[in-house]
mmCIF file of all heavy atoms in Angstrom:
data_model
loop_
_atom_site.group_PDB
_atom_site.id
_atom_site.type_symbol
_atom_site.label_atom_id
_atom_site.label_comp_id
_atom_site.label_asym_id
_atom_site.label_seq_id
_atom_site.Cartn_x
_atom_site.Cartn_y
_atom_site.Cartn_z
ATOM 1 N N PHE A 206 -0.654 25.665 -1.443
ATOM 2 C CA PHE A 206 0.150 24.782 -0.637
ATOM 3 C C PHE A 206 -0.171 23.364 -0.942
ATOM 4 O O PHE A 206 -1.236 22.845 -0.589
ATOM 5 C CB PHE A 206 -0.027 25.050 0.868
ATOM 6 C CG PHE A 206 0.619 26.155 1.400
ATOM 7 C CD1 PHE A 206 -0.010 27.411 1.502
ATOM 8 C CD2 PHE A 206 1.965 26.144 1.944
ATOM 9 C CE1 PHE A 206 0.533 28.540 2.105
ATOM 10 C CE2 PHE A 206 2.582 27.171 2.485
ATOM 11 C CZ PHE A 206 1.863 28.388 2.580
ATOM 12 N N ASP A 207 0.653 22.645 -1.654
ATOM 13 C CA ASP A 207 0.490 21.186 -1.874
ATOM 14 C C ASP A 207 1.546 20.429 -1.085
ATOM 15 O O ASP A 207 2.453 19.762 -1.587
ATOM 16 C CB ASP A 207 0.537 20.904 -3.367
ATOM 17 C CG ASP A 207 -0.183 19.570 -3.704
ATOM 18 O OD1 ASP A 207 -0.730 18.915 -2.732
ATOM 19 O OD2 ASP A 207 -0.261 19.218 -4.828
ATOM 20 N N SER A 208 1.443 20.602 0.234
ATOM 21 C CA SER A 208 2.583 20.173 1.145
ATOM 22 C C SER A 208 2.951 18.756 0.994
ATOM 23 O O SER A 208 4.107 18.382 1.108
ATOM 24 C CB SER A 208 2.173 20.451 2.583
ATOM 25 O OG SER A 208 1.819 21.827 2.702
ATOM 26 N N TRP A 209 2.023 17.851 0.705
ATOM 27 C CA TRP A 209 2.298 16.431 0.827
ATOM 28 C C TRP A 209 2.355 15.697 -0.503
ATOM 29 O O TRP A 209 2.352 14.518 -0.604
ATOM 30 C CB TRP A 209 1.345 15.692 1.811
ATOM 31 C CG TRP A 209 1.282 16.376 3.081
ATOM 32 C CD1 TRP A 209 0.133 16.716 3.761
ATOM 33 C CD2 TRP A 209 2.368 16.844 3.911
ATOM 34 N NE1 TRP A 209 0.414 17.393 4.943
ATOM 35 C CE2 TRP A 209 1.769 17.486 4.982
ATOM 36 C CE3 TRP A 209 3.766 16.788 3.793
ATOM 37 C CZ2 TRP A 209 2.617 18.048 6.070
ATOM 38 C CZ3 TRP A 209 4.521 17.358 4.773
ATOM 39 C CH2 TRP A 209 3.917 17.959 5.891
ATOM 40 N N ALA A 210 2.512 16.498 -1.641
ATOM 41 C CA ALA A 210 2.681 15.962 -2.923
ATOM 42 C C ALA A 210 3.814 14.970 -3.115
ATOM 43 O O ALA A 210 3.795 14.082 -3.869
ATOM 44 C CB ALA A 210 2.725 17.102 -3.998
ATOM 45 N N LEU A 211 4.903 15.212 -2.203
ATOM 46 C CA LEU A 211 6.074 14.363 -2.292
ATOM 47 C C LEU A 211 5.747 12.931 -2.019
ATOM 48 O O LEU A 211 6.559 12.019 -2.268
ATOM 49 C CB LEU A 211 7.206 14.895 -1.407
ATOM 50 C CG LEU A 211 7.168 14.465 0.090
ATOM 51 C CD1 LEU A 211 8.501 14.776 0.652
ATOM 52 C CD2 LEU A 211 6.090 15.084 0.897
ATOM 53 N N ALA A 212 4.544 12.607 -1.453
ATOM 54 C CA ALA A 212 4.189 11.211 -1.151
ATOM 55 C C ALA A 212 3.870 10.478 -2.420
ATOM 56 O O ALA A 212 3.751 9.311 -2.457
ATOM 57 C CB ALA A 212 3.026 11.212 -0.238
ATOM 58 N N LEU A 213 3.601 11.208 -3.571
ATOM 59 C CA LEU A 213 3.051 10.604 -4.717
ATOM 60 C C LEU A 213 4.199 10.220 -5.749
ATOM 61 O O LEU A 213 5.222 10.804 -5.858
ATOM 62 C CB LEU A 213 2.077 11.526 -5.435
ATOM 63 C CG LEU A 213 0.853 11.873 -4.646
ATOM 64 C CD1 LEU A 213 -0.017 12.974 -5.292
ATOM 65 C CD2 LEU A 213 0.004 10.590 -4.461
ATOM 66 N N SER A 214 3.874 9.177 -6.493
ATOM 67 C CA SER A 214 4.782 8.769 -7.632
ATOM 68 C C SER A 214 4.546 9.906 -8.748
ATOM 69 O O SER A 214 3.632 10.651 -8.776
ATOM 70 C CB SER A 214 4.337 7.448 -8.195
ATOM 71 O OG SER A 214 3.083 7.540 -8.793
ATOM 72 N N TRP A 215 5.482 9.792 -9.713
ATOM 73 C CA TRP A 215 5.445 10.752 -10.852
ATOM 74 C C TRP A 215 4.064 10.672 -11.598
ATOM 75 O O TRP A 215 3.485 11.711 -11.869
ATOM 76 C CB TRP A 215 6.553 10.309 -11.794
ATOM 77 C CG TRP A 215 6.689 11.102 -13.087
ATOM 78 C CD1 TRP A 215 6.286 10.853 -14.327
ATOM 79 C CD2 TRP A 215 7.431 12.402 -13.164
ATOM 80 N NE1 TRP A 215 6.640 11.817 -15.172
ATOM 81 C CE2 TRP A 215 7.410 12.757 -14.487
ATOM 82 C CE3 TRP A 215 8.036 13.246 -12.252
ATOM 83 C CZ2 TRP A 215 7.882 14.020 -14.934
ATOM 84 C CZ3 TRP A 215 8.672 14.414 -12.691
ATOM 85 C CH2 TRP A 215 8.574 14.749 -14.020
ATOM 86 N N ASN A 216 3.515 9.517 -11.862
ATOM 87 C CA ASN A 216 2.252 9.355 -12.547
ATOM 88 C C ASN A 216 1.112 9.816 -11.610
ATOM 89 O O ASN A 216 0.155 10.570 -12.081
ATOM 90 C CB ASN A 216 1.978 7.891 -12.977
ATOM 91 C CG ASN A 216 2.879 7.585 -14.176
ATOM 92 O OD1 ASN A 216 3.286 8.479 -14.928
ATOM 93 N ND2 ASN A 216 3.119 6.313 -14.425
ATOM 94 N N ASP A 217 1.134 9.358 -10.405
ATOM 95 C CA ASP A 217 0.029 9.765 -9.472
ATOM 96 C C ASP A 217 0.008 11.303 -9.209
ATOM 97 O O ASP A 217 -1.002 11.895 -9.116
ATOM 98 C CB ASP A 217 0.122 8.942 -8.159
ATOM 99 C CG ASP A 217 -0.328 7.567 -8.354
ATOM 100 O OD1 ASP A 217 -0.892 7.217 -9.407
ATOM 101 O OD2 ASP A 217 -0.143 6.755 -7.424
ATOM 102 N N TYR A 218 1.204 11.866 -9.157
ATOM 103 C CA TYR A 218 1.275 13.288 -9.012
ATOM 104 C C TYR A 218 0.456 13.991 -10.134
ATOM 105 O O TYR A 218 -0.321 14.860 -9.865
ATOM 106 C CB TYR A 218 2.708 13.796 -8.914
ATOM 107 C CG TYR A 218 2.779 15.340 -8.880
ATOM 108 C CD1 TYR A 218 2.327 16.034 -7.707
ATOM 109 C CD2 TYR A 218 3.214 16.070 -10.002
ATOM 110 C CE1 TYR A 218 2.334 17.328 -7.659
ATOM 111 C CE2 TYR A 218 3.143 17.458 -9.959
ATOM 112 C CZ TYR A 218 2.742 18.153 -8.778
ATOM 113 O OH TYR A 218 2.689 19.469 -8.746
ATOM 114 N N GLN A 219 0.673 13.513 -11.334
ATOM 115 C CA GLN A 219 0.030 14.213 -12.452
ATOM 116 C C GLN A 219 -1.478 13.912 -12.409
ATOM 117 O O GLN A 219 -2.315 14.842 -12.678
ATOM 118 C CB GLN A 219 0.619 13.653 -13.811
ATOM 119 C CG GLN A 219 2.018 13.981 -13.866
ATOM 120 C CD GLN A 219 2.644 13.838 -15.212
ATOM 121 O OE1 GLN A 219 2.204 14.465 -16.188
ATOM 122 N NE2 GLN A 219 3.660 12.906 -15.333
ATOM 123 N N GLU A 220 -1.873 12.700 -12.052
ATOM 124 C CA GLU A 220 -3.276 12.390 -12.096
ATOM 125 C C GLU A 220 -4.124 12.956 -10.950
ATOM 126 O O GLU A 220 -5.231 13.436 -11.101
ATOM 127 C CB GLU A 220 -3.505 10.800 -12.088
ATOM 128 C CG GLU A 220 -4.923 10.465 -12.118
ATOM 129 C CD GLU A 220 -5.193 9.011 -12.207
ATOM 130 O OE1 GLU A 220 -4.281 8.210 -12.493
ATOM 131 O OE2 GLU A 220 -6.387 8.625 -12.130
ATOM 132 N N PHE A 221 -3.474 12.920 -9.712
ATOM 133 C CA PHE A 221 -4.259 13.288 -8.551
ATOM 134 C C PHE A 221 -3.935 14.661 -7.871
ATOM 135 O O PHE A 221 -4.620 15.103 -7.063
ATOM 136 C CB PHE A 221 -4.108 12.249 -7.498
ATOM 137 C CG PHE A 221 -4.634 10.880 -7.899
ATOM 138 C CD1 PHE A 221 -3.788 9.831 -8.249
ATOM 139 C CD2 PHE A 221 -6.049 10.662 -8.002
ATOM 140 C CE1 PHE A 221 -4.302 8.577 -8.670
ATOM 141 C CE2 PHE A 221 -6.528 9.455 -8.416
ATOM 142 C CZ PHE A 221 -5.659 8.417 -8.683
ATOM 143 N N SER A 222 -2.847 15.260 -8.350
ATOM 144 C CA SER A 222 -2.416 16.467 -7.752
ATOM 145 C C SER A 222 -2.414 17.626 -8.801
ATOM 146 O O SER A 222 -3.250 18.557 -8.852
ATOM 147 C CB SER A 222 -1.125 16.393 -7.036
ATOM 148 O OG SER A 222 -0.583 17.661 -6.747
ATOM 149 N N HIS A 223 -1.465 17.477 -9.728
ATOM 150 C CA HIS A 223 -1.198 18.480 -10.700
ATOM 151 C C HIS A 223 -2.449 18.923 -11.521
ATOM 152 O O HIS A 223 -2.697 20.102 -11.742
ATOM 153 C CB HIS A 223 -0.101 18.021 -11.697
ATOM 154 C CG HIS A 223 0.012 18.789 -12.938
ATOM 155 N ND1 HIS A 223 0.457 20.137 -12.937
ATOM 156 C CD2 HIS A 223 -0.196 18.476 -14.260
ATOM 157 C CE1 HIS A 223 0.471 20.601 -14.168
ATOM 158 N NE2 HIS A 223 0.055 19.680 -14.955
ATOM 159 N N ARG A 224 -3.248 17.867 -11.889
ATOM 160 C CA ARG A 224 -4.395 18.082 -12.687
ATOM 161 C C ARG A 224 -5.352 19.134 -12.049
ATOM 162 O O ARG A 224 -5.942 19.933 -12.689
ATOM 163 C CB ARG A 224 -5.077 16.730 -12.896
ATOM 164 C CG ARG A 224 -6.450 16.780 -13.468
ATOM 165 C CD ARG A 224 -6.861 15.391 -13.741
ATOM 166 N NE ARG A 224 -8.327 15.241 -13.951
ATOM 167 C CZ ARG A 224 -8.921 14.060 -14.213
ATOM 168 N NH1 ARG A 224 -8.228 12.961 -14.264
ATOM 169 N NH2 ARG A 224 -10.278 14.021 -14.354
ATOM 170 N N TYR A 225 -5.425 19.005 -10.662
ATOM 171 C CA TYR A 225 -6.413 19.878 -10.056
ATOM 172 C C TYR A 225 -5.724 21.228 -9.725
ATOM 173 O O TYR A 225 -6.456 22.323 -9.713
ATOM 174 C CB TYR A 225 -6.925 19.232 -8.745
ATOM 175 C CG TYR A 225 -7.783 17.997 -9.136
ATOM 176 C CD1 TYR A 225 -7.177 16.703 -9.147
ATOM 177 C CD2 TYR A 225 -9.052 18.124 -9.591
ATOM 178 C CE1 TYR A 225 -7.864 15.643 -9.609
ATOM 179 C CE2 TYR A 225 -9.753 17.069 -9.991
ATOM 180 C CZ TYR A 225 -9.232 15.801 -10.005
ATOM 181 O OH TYR A 225 -9.876 14.759 -10.438
ATOM 182 N N ASN A 226 -4.459 21.223 -9.505
ATOM 183 C CA ASN A 226 -3.759 22.522 -9.344
ATOM 184 C C ASN A 226 -3.851 23.393 -10.599
ATOM 185 O O ASN A 226 -4.054 24.601 -10.581
ATOM 186 C CB ASN A 226 -2.320 22.331 -8.900
ATOM 187 C CG ASN A 226 -2.165 21.605 -7.608
ATOM 188 O OD1 ASN A 226 -3.141 21.494 -6.897
ATOM 189 N ND2 ASN A 226 -1.052 21.115 -7.215
ATOM 190 N N LYS A 227 -3.672 22.647 -11.759
ATOM 191 C CA LYS A 227 -3.789 23.306 -13.018
ATOM 192 C C LYS A 227 -5.196 23.848 -13.207
ATOM 193 O O LYS A 227 -5.377 25.015 -13.743
ATOM 194 C CB LYS A 227 -3.434 22.289 -14.087
ATOM 195 C CG LYS A 227 -3.210 22.928 -15.450
ATOM 196 C CD LYS A 227 -2.694 21.889 -16.437
ATOM 197 C CE LYS A 227 -2.673 22.477 -17.846
ATOM 198 N NZ LYS A 227 -2.191 21.566 -18.870
ATOM 199 N N TYR A 228 -6.138 23.071 -12.882
ATOM 200 C CA TYR A 228 -7.532 23.529 -12.990
ATOM 201 C C TYR A 228 -7.758 24.771 -12.237
ATOM 202 O O TYR A 228 -8.338 25.804 -12.663
ATOM 203 C CB TYR A 228 -8.468 22.399 -12.447
ATOM 204 C CG TYR A 228 -9.915 22.639 -12.373
ATOM 205 C CD1 TYR A 228 -10.774 22.358 -13.409
ATOM 206 C CD2 TYR A 228 -10.529 23.185 -11.225
ATOM 207 C CE1 TYR A 228 -12.185 22.534 -13.320
ATOM 208 C CE2 TYR A 228 -11.838 23.434 -11.082
ATOM 209 C CZ TYR A 228 -12.682 23.102 -12.179
ATOM 210 O OH TYR A 228 -14.056 23.278 -12.064
ATOM 211 N N ILE A 229 -7.225 24.799 -10.957
ATOM 212 C CA ILE A 229 -7.412 26.002 -10.079
ATOM 213 C C ILE A 229 -6.714 27.225 -10.747
ATOM 214 O O ILE A 229 -7.276 28.297 -10.855
ATOM 215 C CB ILE A 229 -6.876 25.732 -8.681
ATOM 216 C CG1 ILE A 229 -7.712 24.667 -7.968
ATOM 217 C CG2 ILE A 229 -6.756 27.017 -7.882
ATOM 218 C CD1 ILE A 229 -7.149 24.010 -6.747
ATOM 219 N N LEU A 230 -5.490 27.015 -11.159
ATOM 220 C CA LEU A 230 -4.654 28.154 -11.682
ATOM 221 C C LEU A 230 -5.305 28.707 -12.939
ATOM 222 O O LEU A 230 -5.122 29.866 -13.277
ATOM 223 C CB LEU A 230 -3.199 27.731 -11.892
ATOM 224 C CG LEU A 230 -2.274 28.159 -10.666
ATOM 225 C CD1 LEU A 230 -2.680 27.494 -9.364
ATOM 226 C CD2 LEU A 230 -0.872 27.839 -11.090
ATOM 227 N N SER A 231 -5.994 27.870 -13.693
ATOM 228 C CA SER A 231 -6.559 28.371 -14.957
ATOM 229 C C SER A 231 -7.962 29.044 -14.717
ATOM 230 O O SER A 231 -8.499 29.614 -15.555
ATOM 231 C CB SER A 231 -6.748 27.178 -15.912
ATOM 232 O OG SER A 231 -7.807 26.387 -15.440
ATOM 233 N N ARG A 232 -8.487 28.946 -13.463
ATOM 234 C CA ARG A 232 -9.758 29.500 -13.178
ATOM 235 C C ARG A 232 -9.745 30.679 -12.188
ATOM 236 O O ARG A 232 -10.787 31.395 -12.055
ATOM 237 C CB ARG A 232 -10.739 28.464 -12.659
ATOM 238 C CG ARG A 232 -11.389 27.689 -13.858
ATOM 239 C CD ARG A 232 -11.995 26.468 -13.408
ATOM 240 N NE ARG A 232 -12.494 25.687 -14.583
ATOM 241 C CZ ARG A 232 -11.818 24.960 -15.430
ATOM 242 N NH1 ARG A 232 -10.525 24.852 -15.212
ATOM 243 N NH2 ARG A 232 -12.399 24.378 -16.396
#
Side-chain angles (χ1 to χ4, degrees):
F206 283 92
D207 205 356
S208 304
W209 309 130
L211 87 165
L213 294 172
S214 69
W215 181 261
N216 285 337
D217 285 348
Y218 174 70
Q219 300 193 59
E220 180 176 349
F221 296 106
S222 169
H223 168 65
R224 172 169 160 183
Y225 295 96
N226 297 347
K227 188 173 176 180
Y228 176 91
I229 293 165
L230 265 59
S231 69
R232 278 165 181 79

